[in-house]
Amino acid sequence: MALPTSSSIHPFKLSIAQSTLDDLQTRLLLTRWPDKETVTNWSQGVPLAAIQELCEYWQTEYDWRRCEALLNSYPQFTTTINGVEFYFLHIRSRHENALPLVLTHGWPGSILEFRHVIDKLVDPESYSGSPEDAFHLVVPALPGYAFSGKPTETGWDYRRTARAWAELMQRLGYADSGWAAQGGDWGADVVASLGHQAPKGLKGKEVQVPIHNKKGEERAMYLDGRRDAGHRGYSLQQSTRPQTMGYGLADSPAAQAAWIYEKYREWSHHDGNVEAVFSKDEMLDMIMLYWLSNSGTSSARYYWECEFDSTAWPISIPVGVSWFGGDNSYGPKEWCERYYKNIVHWKETDRGGHFAAWEVPDVFVAELREWQSKIR
């Protein structure tokens, strides 16, 4: 039986004009490159040879229409909430009693982070699971991220995003039957805000990288322990002057690519070769979502809107926490227990990094199944 949905929800099909793709080709061809770095590693940022190799592949071999077809194979929709049009996937399992789950990405991610887990979550029996493991999936793009609308006013932080997600789940008809939420990076903050707000129907949440207020020695320990502790300039720039940096990201595909390609390498779990985790095509798919929607600036602005380490709220709904061993931060369980009063699942894995669903989909799915079994 299909759920009733709001008349304000509209089907969406992606169709990028060929002229837009031709413009990209021209811009790549005319890229003016900087001089080569003066070191033999990544300590000054993306090496010239590495980004030139990626951009050459982008220009000569990459096929956007393949990615466009993938996205169009999913049920896509838009709906306007508080003046912002949100783009989302809504993929229902054939199991009517599946748990509705909203998945939230972060930066520099997108809905494509979940490309390898969607089928496993909605059709668990085809992937060593049981009907009780099934989820109905709602996968929205954050405000200012492809292909959601760009806010034209201030105030769109993770708290307001959480309220929008609650409204979305209401419009989809899940508020009465019950639903859950999962997120990493900014998605973890959105999910924490959802847990604190406790909107109608929210049964539980599962997070990667929960971040709470940490003071004094604890904060120093946390920051020193981050794998990216020595190169967080991107965060300072995006949280203070996103508009200034945005001109380069909007004008140069090479700049947009380098800005986030660096994070795919630095924040994923590998032995130095990022292509052991992500193919060039997959990384360029993600980069293309930023480029085609011109969302380099608006996505960076989310940092300007949001406060770091400010999600120290008491949360009483059932919580699952997954720490992936190659991620760029870590916090002990006792820190989380100060705020999460009902941790039903805690796991520290050896594999996976910041983009866990993309990097280690089987581990990610196993985590969600185990957490779900404890809130079912």
Side-chain angles (χ1 to χ4, degrees), residues 297-348:
T297 310
S298 54
S299 61
R301 198 176 292 128
Y302 208 71
Y303 281 70
W304 187 92
E305 292 282 2
C306 298
E307 302 171 68
F308 284 103
D309 297 355
S310 62
T311 58
W313 304 308
I315 296 173
S316 59
I317 64 171
V319 173
V321 178
S322 300
W323 288 105
F324 292 87
D327 206 344
N328 56 349
S329 62
Y330 174 75
K333 187 176 182 180
E334 52 266 32
W335 292 3
C336 293
E337 287 175 329
R338 297 174 191 168
Y339 311 103
Y340 297 166
K341 304 303 181 183
N342 187 14
I343 296 178
V344 298
H345 172 72
W346 179 280
K347 180 69 71 67
E348 300 174 23

Side-chain angles (χ1 to χ4, degrees), residues 71-83:
L71 289 170
N72 284 332
S73 72
Y74 300 124
Q76 302 168 93
F77 302 90
T78 61
T79 191
T80 299
I81 302 174
N82 293 332

Side-chain angles (χ1 to χ4, degrees), residues 16-31 58-59 65 249-254 288 291-294:
I16 300 299
Q18 185 59 44
S19 59
T20 300
L21 302 181
D22 294 342
D23 174 77
L24 168 63
Q25 287 288 312
T26 300
R27 289 171 184 270
L28 286 169
L29 180 65
L30 297 177
T31 300
W58 197 359
Q59 184 177 12
R65 298 302 184 191
L249 300 182
D251 188 60
S252 168
M288 281 291 276
W291 177 257
L292 294 174
S293 61
N294 193 13

Side-chain angles (χ1 to χ4, degrees), residues 46 51 107-108 233-238 245 249 253-264 287 290 296 299-300 303:
V46 182
I51 192 60
W107 184 90
Y234 80 95
S235 178
L236 180 60
Q237 180 69 26
Q238 295 195 153
M245 62 168 286
L249 300 182
Q256 177 65 87
W259 188 245
I260 58 180
Y261 171 53
E262 177 188 275
K263 302 312 175 193
Y264 296 155
I287 291 166
Y290 283 82
S299 61
Y303 281 70

Side-chain angles (χ1 to χ4, degrees), residues 119-140:
D119 290 343
K120 295 177 173 66
L121 295 174
V122 300
D123 183 21
E125 292 162 291
S126 297
Y127 300 91
S128 305
S130 64
E132 291 76 19
D133 297 321
F135 294 91
H136 301 307
L137 296 181
V138 179
V139 191

Side-chain angles (χ1 to χ4, degrees), residues 19-287:
S19 59
T20 300
L21 302 181
D22 294 342
D23 174 77
L24 168 63
Q25 287 288 312
T26 300
R27 289 171 184 270
L28 286 169
L29 180 65
L30 297 177
T31 300
R32 185 173 75 160
W33 298 102
D35 55 302
K36 185 179 183 298
E37 64 281 356
T38 57
V39 294
T40 57
N41 52 36
W42 285 62
S43 63
Q44 292 182 356
V46 182
L48 179 62
I51 192 60
Q52 286 182 326
E53 179 185 355
L54 183 67
C55 286
E56 181 180 4
Y57 183 89
W58 197 359
Q59 184 177 12
T60 61
E61 298 185 51
Y62 175 77
D63 178 14
W64 161 252
R65 298 302 184 191
R66 170 196 47 77
C67 182
E68 186 175 86
L70 170 67
L71 289 170
N72 284 332
S73 72
Y74 300 124
Q76 302 168 93
F77 302 90
T78 61
T79 191
T80 299
I81 302 174
N82 293 332
V84 174
E85 184 177 66
F86 286 97
Y87 163 83
F88 65 97
L89 309 181
H90 182 204
I91 307 159
R92 283 184 56 81
S93 171
R94 59 191 171 92
H95 299 291
E96 287 297 326
N97 293 326
L99 177 65
L101 177 70
V102 58
L103 296 170
T104 307
H105 66 84
W107 184 90
S110 75
I111 61 169
L112 284 173
E113 286 184 47
F114 305 107
R115 65 196 300 172
H116 299 311
V117 302
I118 288 174
D119 290 343
K120 295 177 173 66
L121 295 174
V122 300
D123 183 21
E125 292 162 291
S126 297
Y127 300 91
S128 305
S130 64
E132 291 76 19
D133 297 321
F135 294 91
H136 301 307
L137 296 181
V138 179
V139 191
L142 290 169
Y145 288 68
F147 289 99
S148 283
K150 302 176 178 68
T152 58
E153 61 180 4
T154 61
W156 274 100
D157 62 1
Y158 44 72
R159 299 172 185 84
R160 194 170 182 182
T161 304
R163 292 193 291 272
W165 278 197
E167 172 63 22
L168 175 60
M169 298 305 274
Q170 173 78 38
R171 292 184 185 184
L172 292 172
Y174 291 131
D176 292 330
S177 60
W179 54 283
Q182 191 280 339
D185 193 82
W186 283 126
D189 292 321
V190 173
V191 170
S193 187
L194 274 170
H196 178 61
Q197 295 174 21
K200 182 180 179 181
L202 183 62
K203 299 173 64 174
K205 73 186 193 80
E206 204 276 350
V207 295
Q208 302 160 231
V209 200
I211 300 175
H212 306 302
N213 283 350
K214 293 170 285 291
K215 299 179 180 179
E217 184 178 348
E218 283 184 356
R219 180 171 179 79
M221 290 170 57
Y222 173 79
L223 293 175
D224 288 346
R226 289 183 62 103
R227 292 175 62 219
D228 65 346
H231 45 92
R232 287 181 53 78
Y234 80 95
S235 178
L236 180 60
Q237 180 69 26
Q238 295 195 153
S239 61
T240 57
R241 295 294 187 272
Q243 192 68 24
T244 301
M245 62 168 286
Y247 299 109
L249 300 182
D251 188 60
S252 168
Q256 177 65 87
W259 188 245
I260 58 180
Y261 171 53
E262 177 188 275
K263 302 312 175 193
Y264 296 155
R265 180 188 184 274
E266 298 298 331
W267 292 352
S268 55
H269 197 192
H270 52 79
D271 61 0
N273 177 21
V274 67
E275 291 184 42
V277 181
F278 309 132
S279 69
K280 282 189 177 72
D281 282 324
E282 288 187 342
M283 289 188 286
L284 287 169
D285 288 345
M286 297 275 273
I287 291 166

